[in-house]
Amino acid sequence: MRSPDPSAVLRRPNDPPVLILTSLAAGPKHGHALAKDIEAFAGVALGPGTLYGAITRLEERGLIEALESDDRRRPYRITAAGATVLAVSVAEMGRIAAVGASRLGISLGTLA
Amino acid sequence: MTASDAARLLRWYPAAWRERYGDELVALMEDELGGRDTSIRFRLSIALAGLRERAHGAGIVGRGASAAERARAGALLVLCAWTTFVVAGASFAKLSEHFDAAVPRASRGLPGGAYRQVQIVSVVAAALLVVAGCCVLPAFMRFVRRGGWSLIARAVWQATVSSAALAVAIVPLAAWAHHLSYGQRNGTDAAYSAAVVAAAALLVAVLGLWTRAAVVAGRRLELGRGVLAAVSSLAIGVAASMVAMTVGTAIWWAVMAEHAPWFLHGTPAGSGGSPFNPQLAATMALMAASVALGQYGVARIGRSWLELRRATP
């Protein structure tokens, strides 16, 4: 397994891997639940092909793992490495957002 | 979405991926569609995702495959680029036929030199490919002895049949050409022109099918590090040759446009005209696309070897 490098995995806030890790940070989910959750919190509709492409890459890198399931709808959960990568990425995005808000003279809280 | 729809869509993905994620993806598609039929857009998105997964699996994109696999994929990409370049080169050979006679004697030096550059470099590139073939031959023989033939038999059979069809088509075409005048052979006989276009299309298919057979086999060979390094170096040489030939062709075009624009249009010597020739432009575009694909392969080889070198103590 490759060592997780946040810059190589998570590039933009609306990249499918970022959205999937963010969704799984709230708990394990299967594909459909992931798609619905992502649409709810980010307003991004990921198609099945895109979603499973990202799941494949994240699992390859050890950032998520599949849970045992008898159902075809296999749930995934974020790993410790995935949580670390997401934390680094979120901190970076937060830093940029804070700079943007500061330069605009607005509070990040008012944008939520 | 019916079960056969799902099976058809899954075929876009590589077998290993289908084995691992196929059922989950079908379940997700069923959940997403909720009994509705698949739209063209939906099918297209699955097809693209499946092709992307195939490219990942083959080491053509991404970093999922090992560095050695990515280097091999880079070399195979150069081989594919060479095939498309051969098609462009054949087009250039046809377009530049007898150009010497059209150019004033005093101006023949530069286009002649550029043309010879293209010819010489093409021979060098072909020789590099032959050497690469010789390098992987022992691995290929081992692969066949271990029962690998069944894995490539279909691709080789298709390429062989298409080659036989081409040979059968070429013989009567050559006999027909002997009975035609220069003008008839070069566009005034519509039936002959159509037959030549059909034969050219068949030739492109033959080249494509043999390249596919080589890629199918090349992906399965067990190559030692030394052989992989040799093949990678030869692939870089072939990619560089394509750049040199494209430059030579561009120089030839520029000089011909300046000294003999009539040749580019088939009009009488001494007449003027635009330096633009759509067929030549299409040929150059195909050459440029081949060069770009080859350079992508070279970049993949280069990055993979840097990684391999870093990983070796």
Side-chain angles (χ1 to χ4, degrees):
Chain A
M1 191 200 331
R2 219 169 285 285
S3 60
D5 169 9
S7 64
V9 182
L10 312 178
R11 292 187 182 89
R12 294 182 298 272
N14 60 348
D15 267 353
V18 180
L19 298 173
I20 291 170
L21 288 180
T22 304
S23 177
L24 293 182
K29 289 179 192 71
H30 57 65
H32 186 57
L34 266 171
K36 288 285 160 208
D37 184 43
I38 289 167
E39 193 164 4
F41 77 75
V44 177
L46 294 181
T50 307
L51 185 68
Y52 262 89
I55 285 175
T56 307
R57 300 286 90 72
L58 288 169
E59 198 180 15
E60 270 174 11
R61 292 182 167 99
L63 304 182
I64 64 171
E65 62 189 4
L67 298 175
E68 284 302 315
S69 171
D70 295 332
D71 188 17
R72 290 184 304 159
R73 292 161 182 79
R74 192 197 296 252
Y76 290 86
R77 75 173 163 214
I78 192 166
T79 62
T84 305
V85 165
L86 181 62
V88 172
S89 177
V90 165
E92 179 67 12
M93 287 186 268
R95 193 184 63 75
I96 293 168
V99 170
S102 150
R103 290 179 182 177
L104 287 168
I106 56 177
S107 160
L108 276 178
T110 61
L111 297 174
Chain B
M1 186 180 67
T2 64
S4 63
D5 283 340
R8 243 194 321 273
L9 286 172
L10 276 184
R11 275 207 290 268
W12 288 102
Y13 286 85
W17 194 96
R18 288 199 299 264
E19 183 73 22
R20 166 65 186 83
Y21 297 102
D23 285 347
E24 293 177 46
L25 180 62
V26 171
L28 176 59
M29 289 193 286
E30 287 168 359
D31 289 339
E32 295 273 310
L33 290 167
R36 284 177 286 125
D37 282 338
T38 54
S39 64
I40 290 175
R41 191 176 167 185
F42 184 89
R43 286 199 295 269
L44 192 63
S45 74
I46 295 292
L48 288 175
L51 291 175
R52 215 165 30 234
E53 216 50 58
R54 281 184 185 274
H56 263 286
I60 295 170
V61 298
R63 299 181 66 187
S66 69
E69 283 305 313
R70 281 181 275 136
R72 180 204 303 251
L76 290 173
L77 276 176
V78 173
L79 176 66
C80 296
W82 172 253
T83 301
T84 54
F85 198 90
V86 166
V87 174
S91 169
F92 174 63
K94 178 69 186 156
L95 288 167
S96 58
E97 252 179 350
H98 310 304
F99 78 91
D100 269 359
V103 184
R105 190 174 290 277
S107 312
R108 280 183 196 163
L110 200 50
Y115 190 78
R116 270 191 299 281
Q117 176 188 324
V118 174
Q119 282 182 316
I120 292 167
V121 177
S122 69
V123 172
V124 171
L128 293 177
L129 279 165
V130 171
V131 174
C134 292
C135 287
V136 298
L137 192 58
F140 179 72
M141 298 309 288
R142 279 197 302 275
F143 169 74
V144 171
R145 275 199 298 271
R146 286 175 190 163
W149 180 253
S150 61
L151 298 169
I152 60 169
R154 192 172 161 208
V156 173
W157 174 243
Q158 287 172 345
T160 306
V161 168
S162 66
S163 301
L166 179 65
V168 168
I170 287 291
V171 173
L173 196 62
W176 187 2
H178 274 297
H179 298 291
L180 299 177
S181 67
Y182 177 81
Q184 285 173 314
R185 283 199 306 272
N186 286 278
T188 57
D189 187 320
Y192 178 77
S193 297
V196 167
V197 168
L202 190 54
L203 175 64
V204 171
V206 168
L207 285 171
L209 287 169
W210 276 114
T211 305
R212 179 169 152 251
V215 170
V216 168
R219 285 185 58 194
R220 290 168 164 82
L221 301 184
E222 284 178 19
L223 302 179
R225 192 160 168 160
V227 173
L228 188 58
V231 169
S232 298
S233 307
L234 291 163
I236 291 170
V238 171
S241 304
M242 287 192 282
V243 174
M245 283 187 276
T246 304
V247 171
T249 306
I251 292 172
W252 180 89
W253 186 1
V255 178
M256 291 301 287
E258 188 184 347
H259 296 288
W262 53 87
F263 177 79
L264 300 172
H265 301 280
T267 48
S271 59
S274 154
F276 185 77
N277 176 314
Q279 266 177 285
L280 193 52
T283 299
M284 283 294 300
L286 188 56
M287 283 185 177
S290 307
V291 165
L293 182 62
Q295 292 307 309
Y296 178 73
V298 167
R300 204 118 183 103
I301 290 170
R303 279 196 295 267
S304 306
W305 277 103
L306 281 176
E307 200 175 303
L308 278 171
R309 226 170 252 177
R310 275 199 297 267
T312 309

